[in-house]
Amino acid sequence: MSGIRVRRCFRSAALLLSAVLVFPVFVSRSNQNDQGAEPQNEPSQDRGMGGPAQTGVQMTRDTSGWDIVEEVFKRMEKPPDWNQDMQSICQVRRRAEDIAFDIIQSMVQDLDRKEWDPRNRWKRMRAHWALALWSDYQGKMDQALEHFQTAYQLAVAYGAREDQLALLEEIGTAYYAQADQQNHVKVSNGKACIFPIDPAARYEVTSGSEHAIKYFLKYLELKPEDLEVRWLLNLAFMTLGEYPAGVPQQYLIPSSAFQSKEDIGRFVDVAPTLGLNILNEAGGIIVDDFDNDGFLDIVTSSFDPCAPMHYFHNNGDGTFTDRSVESGIAKQLGGANLLQADYNNDGCMDILVLRGAFELPMRKSLLRNNCDGTFTDVTREAGLAVPATPSEAAAWADFDNDGNVDLFVGNEDFPSQLFRNKGDGTFADVASAAGVDRKRFAKGVVAGDYDNDGYPDFYVSNEGSTNFLYHNNRNGTFTDVASQLHVELPIYSYPVWFFDYDNDGWPDLFVASYVDSDAEILRSYLNLPVKAEGSKLYKNIGGHSFRDVTKDVELDRVFSPMGVNFGDVDNDGFLDFYLGTGAPPYGSITPHVLMRNDKGKRFVDITTSSGTGELHKGHGVAFADLNNSGNEDILEIVGGAVPGDRHAMVVFRNPGHSNNWITVHLVGVKTNRAAIGARIKLTLTDGGDRSIYRTVSSGGSFGASPLQQHIGLGKAKRIDTLEIWWPNSDTRQVFHDVGVNQFIEIKEFEKNFVKLNRRSFPLGEKTGTRLVTGGGR
């Protein structure tokens, strides 16, 4: 979704156009010119984001058509309680698409009949422009290009330079998207999706890219300094295998700006060979063991309110089976984000589905795992259905330490909700009494015990205003200490997480900025001055303060991530992270980013060397050892915000490393059964004494990794001590001389851990399996 609030909807010509055509009240206001004179040189798009830290930022031009349909969707009449029923939500959304098309097409036909009248050229241009955007929305690129071309000819006729420039870029972008379609790039991942595009992966059908280049060059003749269009031009030449030699020197963007300084091996997308070849719009993902058979399963959702969710069962042999229908998951439609928790402490992982982000209030879904391979929607009886809210941000945590995991939901322009789990299958919203029911545009929520007092705190990332750090007062109330501890920025932020990046025992805080500006992202890569906010890494100083160490660890970059998560890709014991970047515009095309943690001292961009620089829009991200090999793979839902920008999901197989590891599955007794919030400390001797710290959670705020904790150990051959702190019972278990490269289960209060036999198998090929038993006690 766009990083700009949808309610700021009339800043660009595309949005003005939607208002003019769809809502008659705006027609008279927009066209009250003397004698019907055509407006001259009207700016086609205001590129400034607004806000104190974003002024003057060149935004990526949006050709997705999403805003047009969205305005109709918001303003059209709807049946009572439409947002409490998933089928009704789907029907209303589809009706909005039809209404938008009918109105725009009718306007085009009416104005084309009056083409003899020069006074209609301006309105005709915008009508065809709108129909082009609607066609873009649907992915009908041939039709879109026809109307873009007509709009451009009309813009030339009345000499509006800014409109001509805008249309040149949008025509070029549409041709680039058409090239994707012609070469089946969206449905078959491979080297053509990975930046830098390998010359061996050049497109077989070249006409789309060739036309894109033609229009980008024509644009740059008029505005050679535009970095966004220069970037698109370079990408188009890559798709033809003609980069860098074919790019005019004055427009060349050097590949050296993107080269990785380190190489830990090449990741390969194996999703198609695993049977995970689904197409999605933006959506969420959970990876966890939903049937307790020792293999990690996958659940996905799509922003499309008519798209069913998917449940992929891990067969334990390198393949997955789609059990969406049998499990009941397919009855669930849409879903911007997903999270898992065992809310009823029955030992089976349940699912929360969040909906309505960037749109209108829509019901959540709480899906109870029946422990028999099926799920039941218990939202209404659990007390989570009403009121419906627009959200994609939530976190599970036992804030009152009663052994039942509670739920914090951050909403968009609605008060946040804090649902206390009553332990009987129902929840009560106590946000007002707890002091956390503030109304903001919340885009990320995470739980973490930043002061190590045994009670989880919450961080809320708000787009367009300062963020919140709610300190748990241990009496059912919270106090916002974000400004006091200087962690309230960035203003335009999105994903967020707590993690102990330097292994000092204190949870640190990463807050990603969000800007839908390819130009700013590219300026960051090229070490040019930027105007947009960058992300923030706040180092926890003993639980009483934070220090901004973003520059110190070399993270002072501009990104545009939505889906994010962290894990240990090389098993060195330090947490790395992956950013799924992108925004709704078709021209929003920057590589996703894999950052390697260098011993807690700095982060190194290993995107290009690892082959993880997917170019299409990134959303839900999870790190997970899918084949029990001891290496974490990276899974991601890839796809844009509109039907025409669907894409196949990716599973980047970890190339493997020589470092050791251990996977710890915790089972709470007095603590919540899934052990969310429990703390793990490992002490190692591997060339020097050191400790590694982990907290049981699903990771970042968009995408959910398994709750079992995979922990890299470096070269350590034994774990000197493994300590578990259970905050709910405030008890500690300590195990000595634990073996490496094994799966273990630790139950609260038990004196011994249990070794788990986990069968390992190759990922992405069917060549047999092996049994991992490991050493240890």
Side-chain angles (χ1 to χ4, degrees), residues 653-695:
R653 181 180 62 201
N654 194 312
H657 306 279
S658 59
N659 289 329
N660 296 316
W661 54 275
I662 190 168
T663 297
V664 182
H665 177 236
L666 297 183
V667 179
V669 177
K670 185 175 181 182
T671 301
N672 68 89
R673 179 74 175 265
I676 292 173
R679 305 285 288 274
I680 303 171
K681 176 183 177 181
L682 298 87
T683 305
L684 311 175
T685 303
D686 58 345
D689 292 341
R690 67 165 174 146
S691 298
I692 298 174
Y693 297 86
R694 296 288 185 271
T695 300

Side-chain angles (χ1 to χ4, degrees), residues 568-610:
D568 188 354
V569 293
D570 55 357
N571 282 341
D572 67 349
F574 290 92
L575 289 168
D576 317 298
F577 64 84
Y578 188 71
L579 304 176
T581 61
Y586 279 100
S588 177
I589 309 171
T590 56
H592 305 180
V593 181
L594 180 58
M595 303 295 290
R596 179 183 177 269
N597 186 338
D598 184 10
K599 299 180 174 60
K601 298 176 182 178
R602 63 173 186 150
F603 285 85
V604 181
D605 189 335
I606 60 170
T607 304
T608 55
S609 64
S610 64

Side-chain angles (χ1 to χ4, degrees), residues 22 34 152 195 265 291 342 378 577 625 635 670 693 705 765:
V22 176
D34 293 341
Y152 176 71
F195 180 85
D291 55 1
D342 183 2
V378 295
F577 64 84
D625 180 5
L635 296 87
K670 185 175 181 182
Y693 297 86
S705 300
E765 53 182 322

Side-chain angles (χ1 to χ4, degrees), residues 121-141:
R121 283 182 298 183
W122 182 80
K123 286 188 285 186
R124 282 186 66 214
M125 180 201 69
R126 275 163 168 68
H128 280 281
W129 199 341
L131 197 51
L133 293 173
W134 186 92
S135 302
D136 263 359
Y137 176 90
Q138 296 289 353
K140 299 176 180 179
M141 292 304 164

Side-chain angles (χ1 to χ4, degrees), residues 628 661 741 743 756-760 770-774:
N628 294 339
W661 54 275
N741 300 339
F743 295 81
L756 301 173
N757 291 333
R758 289 286 186 260
R759 189 170 73 250
S760 174
R770 62 187 177 90
L771 191 65
V772 175
T773 57

